[in-house]
Amino acid sequence: MAFKALFIRPSNATGSAYMTKWGFLPAPLGLLDLAGEILRIPGAEVKIIDMEGDNLTLDDVVSMSVNYKPDMVGITLHATAAHNNAGYIARKIKESLPDTVMVAGGHHATFLPVEIINSGFDISVLGEGDETIYDIAMAIINHHDFSTVKGIYYRNGDRILKTEPRELISDLDSLPYPPLELLDSSKYTFKVYGEHEKVMCLETSRGCPYACDFCSVTPTWGNKWRNKSNDRIIEEMKRAKSAGYTWIFFTDDIFIVFPNVKQREELFKRIIEEKIDMKWIVQMRADVTSKNPELIKLAAEAGMGISFLGVESGSKEILKKMHKGEFTPQSVDAVRILSQNNIVVLVGMMIGAPYERLRDAISTVRFSRKLGRAGADAVQFSIYTPLPGTRIFDNALKNNELFTLDWDRYDVLTPVMKTKVGPVLDQIIQFYASYSFYIYKFIIGKIRNDRLGGIKKKLIDNGTQFILKMMPVYLRDFFSFPRFLFKTYDLYSYGRKKMKISQERIKEILQTSNKIVYANKQKNPYFMIKNK
């Protein structure tokens, strides 16, 4: 009988703000990558269930999974806030199919593997799971135990065991192409920019060499940045276009790093020469952007339609404490350069760092206005959230600064830790900053009579129409805000006085959180560059 694998993307308990507010749902690339590995096995069958793309309830997911009767189920914890939903799905499937092997992967599974297994999984994968998922499948097929599968925690009777660490994949070109045929492209929409726009995720690199204190990306990928060749990237773009996608979201945590500027320049030229003609979204650093204006101009010609900049704060002191490695003038220059090239500029900022004072938060709100004047089109104000795998999470856990370990709240939109300003006031500032930015941007645009050009005008016009259509949803959220504030206040009051995390649980978490999970034998400590 053929080996059957099922991969599931669960939703967060609070849902996806990107989907509900912007109609943005990118295809689940991580699950496609894993599916590609399984399809290397002769005769293997693979199915993907996307809880958001298929608009399913938890019980719908369980029912579909049980009916498929898989030998292995892989669930991605793409976000910490998906923990509880993922655990529920795993337990329910296991109740009906006790012999099915339940596997968890992703950032959260990497840094809380014991908790993951105790929530209902058989295996928690550490770090990148491409080769690991193949080895797990072969162990199941050959009826072997999992002790020889590198890079996992697994349940063995009443014990939870850890295997040898796995090396990073040095050559990303060696990975199978994502089997796009497993997905229905019509589900992966980008409605804010057009009713018929469809977005595929692709990766051109993995990792981040920087050390921001709030980010779990760096330890997840072993403090390294690796990239695919231009030949491989071009081929994947062509496949996405053939599958009906009009946008590509390059999931790279940093699309351009200083050592790779030349390779990106060559990539952009090839995209233009080969007339791929797709729009794409990237995540960039302000320092690289501000120092390479000609490269950004070329990128715009090649299809860069949207760029997300993680600016984080308007306070130099806070940026230094975050170990961001950037300064506010660079962010203004980067926004201006992107905007001048008719690229839609999205900016990420944070409120509520534990070392942030009220004046720092006010500086961030004011700085967002400055970025708006420079050309920023949208600002996403997040709540600073100590995610497992970060230094700040470990510190908060040790110092009793978390007032809840309810993973549903770790959605970077709701406070979970004690701060100098206070979580309720942090939430008020975040709410005010988010809504007031767009009012300010609208007024400034009218006063200055801003005239947009090229693709940016079309995107902004489409986005404006979508926002007007979604106005009832925004108004509902606006009037629901006091209820969210009261919930934060009640949870904070209870957690501050009564929540006690046992020393045993703290010790268990700290043994795995914020640890490099790879057997690192590479000489270069930060970059593994493929120059063509």
Side-chain angles (χ1 to χ4, degrees), residues 384-400:
Y384 184 102
T385 303
L387 298 173
T390 63
R391 296 190 305 276
I392 196 65
F393 176 81
D394 290 3
N395 292 338
L397 193 62
K398 293 174 187 175
N399 299 326
N400 193 33

Side-chain angles (χ1 to χ4, degrees), residues 70-95:
D71 299 291
M72 177 184 73
V73 175
I75 302 181
T76 176
L77 277 84
H78 53 288
T80 292
H83 174 106
N84 292 337
N85 279 355
Y88 176 88
I89 293 169
R91 292 190 298 273
K92 289 296 182 180
I93 294 175
K94 198 74 173 175
E95 286 175 8

Side-chain angles (χ1 to χ4, degrees), residues 164-175:
E164 292 182 29
R166 183 179 293 274
E167 292 182 36
L168 278 168
I169 299 169
S170 58
D171 183 6
L172 297 181
D173 282 8
S174 67
L175 298 174

Side-chain angles (χ1 to χ4, degrees), residues 24-285:
F24 177 65
L25 182 66
L29 175 64
L31 298 187
L32 286 175
D33 286 340
L34 299 180
E37 291 289 340
I38 298 302
L39 290 175
R40 292 170 49 204
I41 300 170
E45 298 176 14
V46 181
K47 180 180 178 67
I48 292 176
I49 295 177
D50 185 352
M51 192 171 170
E52 286 186 346
D54 298 323
N55 194 25
L56 303 173
T57 66
L58 287 169
D59 290 330
D60 288 338
V61 174
V62 172
S63 177
M64 292 173 64
S65 302
V66 171
N67 289 338
Y68 184 63
K69 294 183 173 57
D71 299 291
M72 177 184 73
V73 175
I75 302 181
T76 176
L77 277 84
H78 53 288
T80 292
H83 174 106
N84 292 337
N85 279 355
Y88 176 88
I89 293 169
R91 292 190 298 273
K92 289 296 182 180
I93 294 175
K94 198 74 173 175
E95 286 175 8
S96 298
L97 302 172
D99 293 331
T100 295
V101 177
M102 304 302 303
V103 184
H107 290 204
H108 192 71
T110 296
F111 299 115
L112 292 179
V114 175
E115 187 157 338
I116 286 293
I117 291 177
N118 285 333
S119 72
F121 288 89
D122 299 300
I123 297 174
S124 189
V125 175
L126 308 181
E128 59 187 350
D130 308 79
E131 295 174 342
T132 308
I133 202 71
Y134 178 86
D135 290 349
I136 291 171
M138 293 306 297
I140 295 170
I141 291 169
N142 295 317
H143 304 288
H144 295 163
D145 65 30
F146 300 115
S147 60
T148 59
V149 177
K150 294 181 178 180
I152 64 170
Y153 274 71
Y154 70 101
R155 181 178 293 283
N156 185 355
D158 294 331
R159 297 188 300 162
I160 297 175
L161 303 177
K162 178 184 179 182
T163 64
E164 292 182 29
R166 183 179 293 274
E167 292 182 36
L168 278 168
I169 299 169
S170 58
D171 183 6
L172 297 181
D173 282 8
S174 67
L175 298 174
Y177 285 97
L180 305 186
E181 67 276 7
L182 294 180
L183 298 178
D184 177 358
S185 64
S186 65
K187 298 175 183 176
Y188 300 102
T189 61
F190 202 6
K191 292 182 179 179
V192 69
Y193 289 130
E195 189 65 31
H196 302 294
E197 302 290 341
K198 297 188 284 290
V199 57
M200 181 65 215
C201 287
L202 294 178
E203 64 173 7
T204 72
S205 66
R206 290 182 181 178
C208 177
Y210 297 94
C212 300
D213 70 348
F214 54 82
C215 185
S216 61
V217 166
T218 298
T220 298
W221 299 112
N223 289 79
K224 289 186 182 296
W225 191 91
R226 298 159 289 156
N227 63 301
K228 293 180 179 178
S229 69
N230 286 343
D231 286 343
R232 172 67 184 243
I233 296 166
I234 292 291
E235 177 61 25
E236 290 197 30
M237 293 181 73
K238 289 178 178 178
R239 291 179 180 226
K241 184 176 181 178
S242 297
Y245 295 96
T246 56
W247 282 83
I248 291 174
F249 174 27
F250 288 119
T251 60
D252 311 43
D253 294 289
I254 307 175
F255 188 64
I256 302 174
V257 292
F258 283 114
N260 203 43
V261 167
K262 184 63 178 176
Q263 192 239 14
R264 289 304 192 213
E265 180 183 341
E266 293 170 357
L267 173 65
F268 302 156
K269 289 178 179 177
R270 283 193 57 183
I271 291 172
I272 295 169
E273 290 168 0
E274 301 192 29
K275 299 179 180 179
I276 293 180
D277 191 27
M278 296 182 76
K279 298 180 288 293
W280 29 280
I281 310 163
V282 296
Q283 301 176 99
M284 301 274 285
R285 276 182 66 90

